[in-house]
Amino acid sequence: METKLASLNFESKNLGVASAVVIASLICANCALTSLDISNNSLCGVNAYAGTYTAEGITAIADALRVNGGLTKISLAKNVLGEEGTKAICEALEQNKTLKELDISGDRFEKSTIGGTAGAKHVAKMLGVNGALTGIDLSGNQLCGIWTDDDGDQNGTYTAEGITAIADALRVNGGLTSLNLSSNQLCGLDHRGRGTYTAEGITAIADALRVNGALTELSLAQNKLEEEGTKAICEALEQNTTLKELDISGGYEGDIGGSAGAKHVAKMLGVNGALTSLDLSNNQLCGLNHYGRGTYTAEGITAIADALLVNSTLTKLSLAQNKLEEAGTKAICEALEQNMTLKELDIRREFWIGSNTGGSAGAKHVAKMVRVNGGLTSIDLSGNKLSGIWTDSYGNQRGAFTAEGITAIADALRVNGALTVTNLLGNQLDAESAKMLAEVAKQKGISLCGIQRDQTTADFSNQNLKPPDAILLASDLLQADVTGGLTSLNLSSNELCGLHKDGCGTYTAEGIAAIADALRVNGGLTSLDLSNNALCGVTRFGGTYTAEGITAIADALRVNGALTECDLSHNGLGEEGKASIRFAAQGKAGFKLHL
């Protein structure tokens, strides 16, 4: 009996024009196919750097789309379709009434997928008549004719023709519910603020939002809107009652105009009764960049906090990477002592330097809020030096340790009845603090690492995680009701045994032993990546070999009946360590072991 697949993924398979022709015939023949990913290939004969352009393959795919009645989702992202290829696809979609999701995103540092401004006009023409498409990703596509290459050089000449055409199409399109316009230099500036500012493009989008009644999700992230552009969008959303999710997160230098832009956002939140999700991450809301440079002011974040006191629709808010410091954290937390509508709060910090929430002092304000808030179900506090110390990019430890903040949070979690997901990784805890949190999590059924209950894969690779973080991860893995759906876990390129990649630090097997103990009873994980963690005390710069960590993993593998794949490569296992792992895995039919 012939089996026809509903989903195919050919992402990054080095496919060319000939392959595109074959894929076109497949689209015509397989009526069961609903989802197709052929992103990051060379369907038109060229990649971001070289090749000879031909539209033969993409035209064949377009022709197939004219007759296909089953495909609902297709990704052509990062394929350098050019204007000709984009025109072919868009003309097909003027007839196709089945496709719901289209990804034609580009790469802001390399080539546009759709051919920049010229391609944007064909997209706009299609959107003006297509009533079936519900989601389109146009991010990173040089829609205004300019871009900054990976050498930092600016290219092209700004024009608002393409983005204005798209805005005009939004005025009449009644089907599109999701639109991604991120990383397109809509206001003439790149992510570092280089270029000449103009609000022409973003004003056109804002004007369209005033009359569009279909869009529910919009991303304008990393477009350097600045205060003027932010004001235009926010004023439109004071009238728009349809949009539910808005992403105006920033790049290196923020996007919305810092504290001044934050005030416009606050004003909008005070009257908008539709938005449920807002991403304001990495926006210098308090005047400081991610290195802490600038002049601190709490005016903008206080205005947002005041808006949260009256807003009753927002359920998800990201204020990550904004250097809120203690004053800003206090303002937000005091608002959330009253606001019981917000469900998910992200105030994490990802950069090496400093904290978002003000370290241990800010942690106390968070704890005070968590004690009384009965609405929040998820909070991300990762990377916030809650213990008062942090590690710089050279592996050096800075600050002075204190358990006050994290102890306050643990005490609050004991009495909170709503939180089910927290993320406390990357906070330079000591083992005692991690064990204390693990005990609370065991009692309350809480994730300590941000893992959602329905999550199937988790990637924590290259996050500078230490042995106490491993204890938190083990806590999650021990709770079937917390991570029972998790099948794949990536912990590669961390410091789970205390050693930095350059060899500094002190080896301890306490964290990896905790993970091993969890693996003994975890029945959900099928794939685990522990590569590049110096499990045996040896880095590329040397070290003293110990089998303690790898022995704990080997002992766990002997009794674990769920894992089918484990990557332990680049850990300096030596022949002794490899032999113990091979012995533990023997008899496990089909087991994939990477050493």
Side-chain angles (χ1 to χ4, degrees):
M1 180 177 177
E2 183 182 4
T3 300
K4 293 189 175 182
L5 295 175
S7 177
L8 287 174
N9 188 341
F10 295 122
E11 178 186 5
S12 304
K13 298 298 183 182
N14 199 31
L15 305 180
V17 177
S19 297
V21 174
V22 173
I23 288 170
S25 63
L26 184 150
I27 292 173
C28 289
N30 189 344
C31 59
L33 191 65
T34 59
S35 176
L36 176 63
D37 188 343
I38 42 179
S39 61
N40 201 25
N41 286 294
S42 302
L43 301 183
C44 293
V46 295
N47 58 27
Y49 303 102
T52 301
Y53 183 89
T54 172
E56 180 185 355
I58 198 66
T59 299
I61 289 175
D63 290 342
L65 288 177
R66 295 176 188 272
V67 297
N68 180 281
L71 205 62
T72 60
K73 182 178 182 180
I74 188 170
S75 176
L76 297 164
K78 299 181 183 179
N79 262 298
V80 195
L81 305 183
E83 181 189 357
E84 187 178 354
T86 302
K87 180 182 179 183
I89 292 293
C90 288
E91 287 182 346
L93 293 182
E94 289 177 20
Q95 301 175 38
N96 180 300
K97 304 303 179 184
T98 307
L99 199 73
K100 301 298 182 184
E101 298 178 48
L102 174 65
D103 184 352
I104 43 177
S105 58
D107 188 323
R108 69 180 184 188
F109 292 121
E110 296 174 359
K111 291 279 189 178
S112 164
T113 290
I114 66 171
T117 301
K121 295 178 183 177
H122 295 298
V123 172
K125 181 173 179 291
M126 177 269 292
L127 290 177
V129 297
N130 183 297
L133 203 64
T134 59
I136 186 169
D137 190 340
L138 289 165
S139 60
N141 256 310
Q142 305 165 18
L143 297 181
C144 294
I146 58 173
W147 71 97
T148 302
D149 60 32
D150 51 10
D151 292 322
D153 297 323
Q154 295 181 65
N155 301 271
T157 302
Y158 183 92
T159 171
E161 288 183 8
I163 195 64
T164 299
I166 289 174
D168 289 342
L170 291 178
R171 292 174 178 272
V172 297
N173 183 289
L176 201 66
T177 59
S178 176
L179 174 63
N180 190 340
L181 295 172
S182 62
S183 299
N184 270 298
Q185 295 188 220
L186 298 184
C187 296
L189 303 180
D190 71 4
H191 61 291
R192 292 191 183 275
R194 295 169 293 200
T196 302
Y197 183 85
T198 172
E200 186 179 357
I202 199 64
T203 299
I205 294 294
D207 289 343
L209 285 178
R210 296 176 191 273
V211 297
N212 180 285
L215 271 183
T216 59
E217 300 176 34
L218 174 64
S219 176
L220 297 168
Q222 299 188 41
N223 271 301
K224 288 297 288 180
L225 306 183
E226 301 293 33
E227 182 187 358
E228 185 177 355
T230 303
K231 180 183 179 183
I233 292 295
C234 288
E235 288 182 346
L237 293 181
E238 290 177 21
Q239 301 175 37
N240 181 299
T241 58
T242 308
L243 200 72
K244 303 296 183 184
E245 301 179 27
L246 175 65
D247 183 354
I248 44 177
S249 56
Y252 289 101
E253 303 296 333
D255 262 39
I256 67 169
S259 180
K263 294 177 184 177
H264 295 297
V265 172
K267 182 174 179 289
M268 177 269 292
L269 286 177
V271 297
N272 181 288
L275 271 186
T276 59
S277 176
L278 177 62
D279 191 341
L280 289 168
S281 59
N282 206 14
N283 258 309
Q284 301 183 22
L285 298 181
C286 296
L288 302 180
N289 68 11
H290 58 276
Y291 292 110
R293 299 181 186 130
T295 302
Y296 183 86
T297 171
E299 288 184 8
I301 198 66
T302 300
I304 288 175
D306 290 343
L308 289 177
L309 291 173
V310 297
N311 182 286
S312 60
T313 58
L314 206 65
T315 60
K316 184 176 181 180
L317 174 64
S318 178
L319 299 170
Q321 298 170 209
N322 269 299
K323 292 291 286 180
L324 305 182
E325 303 294 13
E326 182 186 358
T329 302
K330 180 183 179 184
I332 291 294
C333 287
E334 287 182 347
L336 293 181
E337 289 176 23
Q338 300 179 50
N339 179 308
M340 299 296 161
T341 306
L342 200 73
K343 302 299 181 185
E344 300 177 46
L345 176 64
D346 183 355
I347 43 179
R348 73 188 186 278
R349 177 73 170 171
E350 291 180 355
F351 292 99
W352 293 98
I353 300 173
S355 163
N356 188 28
T357 60
S360 179
K364 295 176 186 178
H365 296 297
V366 172
K368 182 173 178 287
M369 177 269 291
V370 168
R371 278 184 173 274
V372 298
N373 183 289
L376 274 184
T377 59
S378 173
I379 185 169
D380 192 338
L381 285 161
S382 58
N384 262 306
K385 66 170 188 177
L386 300 180
S387 63
I389 59 174
W390 71 99
T391 302
D392 64 24
S393 55
Y394 298 101
N396 301 311
Q397 199 170 88
R398 307 290 188 184
F401 181 84
T402 172
E404 289 183 4
I406 201 66
T407 299
I409 287 176
D411 290 342
L413 290 177
R414 287 189 180 95
V415 299
N416 182 283
L419 273 173
T420 57
V421 178
T422 64
N423 191 343
L424 296 166
L425 294 172
N427 275 299
Q428 302 287 316
L429 308 180
D430 62 0
E432 288 70 27
S433 298
K435 291 174 184 176
M436 171 183 62
L437 287 167
E439 186 59 35
V440 174
K442 180 181 178 182
Q443 296 169 8
K444 304 287 289 187
I446 300 172
S447 167
L448 298 175
C449 305
I451 300 175
Q452 303 288 334
R453 278 162 164 69
D454 59 350
Q455 194 170 334
T456 58
T457 63
D459 186 353
F460 294 106
S461 61
N462 200 30
Q463 293 190 21
N464 197 35
L465 302 181
K466 312 271 185 201
D469 295 310
I471 294 173
L472 301 185
L473 287 160
S475 170
D476 278 16
L477 293 176
L478 280 167
Q479 301 184 76
D481 58 336
V482 171
T483 56
L486 198 66
T487 59
S488 177
L489 177 62
N490 188 347
L491 297 174
S492 64
S493 301
N494 282 297
E495 301 168 30
L496 299 182
C497 290
L499 292 179
H500 190 262
K501 60 184 178 182
D502 64 5
C504 66
T506 302
Y507 180 89
T508 172
E510 187 171 15
I512 199 66
I515 287 178
D517 288 342
L519 290 177
R520 291 174 177 272
V521 298
N522 182 284
L525 275 185
T526 58
S527 176
L528 175 63
D529 190 343
L530 287 168
S531 61
N532 198 24
N533 268 291
L535 297 185
C536 292
V538 179
T539 70
R540 59 178 178 164
F541 293 98
T544 302
Y545 183 87
T546 172
E548 187 177 358
I550 200 63
T551 299
I553 294 294
D555 290 345
L557 284 181
R558 287 190 184 94
V559 298
N560 180 288
L563 277 176
T564 58
E565 182 174 11
C566 186
D567 191 340
L568 294 165
S569 60
H570 305 293
N571 272 301
L573 301 184
E575 290 307 314
E576 179 185 354
K578 290 179 180 179
S580 66
I581 290 295
R582 289 192 183 105
F583 180 74
Q586 70 179 2
K588 294 177 181 286
F591 193 87
K592 296 179 181 178
L593 186 60
H594 307 279
L595 299 177

